[in-house]
Amino acid sequence: VVGSNRWAPFEALLHKYSNRRWKSFPSAPGQAYLHGKLLVASGLQEQFYKTLDTSLVPTKPEEVGSILYVDCHQEKIEDQAYFRNGGDDKHRGAPIFQAFRQACECVLIDTRSDTQIARTTLYGPDPPAMVSGRQGGETPDTTGGRVDDGAVATYLEGLPRQ
């Protein structure tokens, strides 16, 4: 986002927050909320703003009340693995591939107090329940889908405003 003309007025604010890890901010007591308009410090691209209600998209820095950090990674699905269904008795039923899905931790920071005001983890869809096995030496895709930008927007839009 930094460097595009649209976001040029926000560069100082983005620089301030993008150089800090969200874990360095203390948690605020009480219920999660959204303060003012939203600026994304990390984890999402500019296209995210297209999924967000326009009333939450700032046009000038003084409107920004909340900073969003999104940290996504692949997470092992503990109770889902793919097993051999062929071969000899010794290897039949042995796990061959572990299943994964994307998990995105979303953290909001209130710019007035520099505290965490909301935090949740959103998950992408699980991978398919069955895979066909190796074909031509390739490993089947055992990874679920990514967390949709719309899911992040829906979570944020559902928070009470302050």
Side-chain angles (χ1 to χ4, degrees), residues 1 3 8-9 25 52 70 86 150:
V1 177
F25 296 97
L52 194 62
V70 179

PDB file of all heavy atoms in Angstrom, residues 1 3 8-9 25 52 70 86 150:
ATOM      1  N   VAL A   1       0.830  -1.193   0.000  1.00  0.00           N
ATOM      2  CA  VAL A   1       0.000   0.000   0.000  1.00  0.00           C
ATOM      3  C   VAL A   1       0.869   1.249   0.000  1.00  0.00           C
ATOM      4  O   VAL A   1       0.586   2.192  -0.672  1.00  0.00           O
ATOM      5  CB  VAL A   1      -0.957  -0.005   1.217  1.00  0.00           C
ATOM      6  CG1 VAL A   1      -1.773   1.260   1.250  1.00  0.00           C
ATOM      7  CG2 VAL A   1      -1.879  -1.195   1.166  1.00  0.00           C
ATOM      8  N   GLY A   3       3.414   3.898  -0.978  1.00  0.00           N
ATOM      9  CA  GLY A   3       3.996   4.223  -2.264  1.00  0.00           C
ATOM     10  C   GLY A   3       2.966   4.564  -3.320  1.00  0.00           C
ATOM     11  O   GLY A   3       3.277   5.283  -4.253  1.00  0.00           O
ATOM     12  N   ALA A   8      -0.537   7.899  -0.178  1.00  0.00           N
ATOM     13  CA  ALA A   8       0.578   8.785   0.181  1.00  0.00           C
ATOM     14  C   ALA A   8       0.320   9.574   1.469  1.00  0.00           C
ATOM     15  O   ALA A   8       1.219   9.666   2.314  1.00  0.00           O
ATOM     16  CB  ALA A   8       0.912   9.719  -0.978  1.00  0.00           C
ATOM     17  N   PRO A   9      -0.879  10.130   1.703  1.00  0.00           N
ATOM     18  CA  PRO A   9      -1.108  10.872   2.951  1.00  0.00           C
ATOM     19  C   PRO A   9      -1.021   9.997   4.207  1.00  0.00           C
ATOM     20  O   PRO A   9      -0.866  10.509   5.312  1.00  0.00           O
ATOM     21  CB  PRO A   9      -2.527  11.431   2.795  1.00  0.00           C
ATOM     22  CG  PRO A   9      -2.819  11.382   1.338  1.00  0.00           C
ATOM     23  CD  PRO A   9      -2.017  10.230   0.793  1.00  0.00           C
ATOM     24  N   PHE A  25       1.614  -4.633  21.355  1.00  0.00           N
ATOM     25  CA  PHE A  25       0.566  -3.769  21.894  1.00  0.00           C
ATOM     26  C   PHE A  25      -0.183  -4.483  23.014  1.00  0.00           C
ATOM     27  O   PHE A  25      -0.600  -5.629  22.844  1.00  0.00           O
ATOM     28  CB  PHE A  25      -0.438  -3.386  20.802  1.00  0.00           C
ATOM     29  CG  PHE A  25       0.156  -2.565  19.697  1.00  0.00           C
ATOM     30  CD1 PHE A  25       0.568  -3.152  18.517  1.00  0.00           C
ATOM     31  CD2 PHE A  25       0.300  -1.196  19.840  1.00  0.00           C
ATOM     32  CE1 PHE A  25       1.111  -2.401  17.497  1.00  0.00           C
ATOM     33  CE2 PHE A  25       0.843  -0.428  18.821  1.00  0.00           C
ATOM     34  CZ  PHE A  25       1.254  -1.030  17.649  1.00  0.00           C
ATOM     35  N   LEU A  52     -14.647  -3.976   1.823  1.00  0.00           N
ATOM     36  CA  LEU A  52     -15.017  -3.321   3.077  1.00  0.00           C
ATOM     37  C   LEU A  52     -16.064  -2.245   2.831  1.00  0.00           C
ATOM     38  O   LEU A  52     -16.010  -1.535   1.825  1.00  0.00           O
ATOM     39  CB  LEU A  52     -13.757  -2.706   3.694  1.00  0.00           C
ATOM     40  CG  LEU A  52     -13.797  -2.240   5.133  1.00  0.00           C
ATOM     41  CD1 LEU A  52     -14.084  -3.408   6.073  1.00  0.00           C
ATOM     42  CD2 LEU A  52     -12.466  -1.601   5.502  1.00  0.00           C
ATOM     43  N   VAL A  70      -3.021  -8.414   9.965  1.00  0.00           N
ATOM     44  CA  VAL A  70      -3.476  -9.748   9.587  1.00  0.00           C
ATOM     45  C   VAL A  70      -2.238 -10.608   9.374  1.00  0.00           C
ATOM     46  O   VAL A  70      -1.366 -10.269   8.580  1.00  0.00           O
ATOM     47  CB  VAL A  70      -4.346  -9.725   8.310  1.00  0.00           C
ATOM     48  CG1 VAL A  70      -4.781 -11.129   7.943  1.00  0.00           C
ATOM     49  CG2 VAL A  70      -5.557  -8.820   8.497  1.00  0.00           C
ATOM     50  N   GLY A  86      -4.294 -48.716  -0.502  1.00  0.00           N
ATOM     51  CA  GLY A  86      -3.819 -49.847  -1.304  1.00  0.00           C
ATOM     52  C   GLY A  86      -2.497 -50.347  -0.767  1.00  0.00           C
ATOM     53  O   GLY A  86      -2.070 -49.982   0.319  1.00  0.00           O
ATOM     54  N   GLY A 150     -13.485 -11.101   2.085  1.00  0.00           N
ATOM     55  CA  GLY A 150     -14.856 -10.800   2.511  1.00  0.00           C
ATOM     56  C   GLY A 150     -15.142 -11.290   3.923  1.00  0.00           C
ATOM     57  O   GLY A 150     -15.902 -10.658   4.661  1.00  0.00           O
TER      58      GLY A 150
END
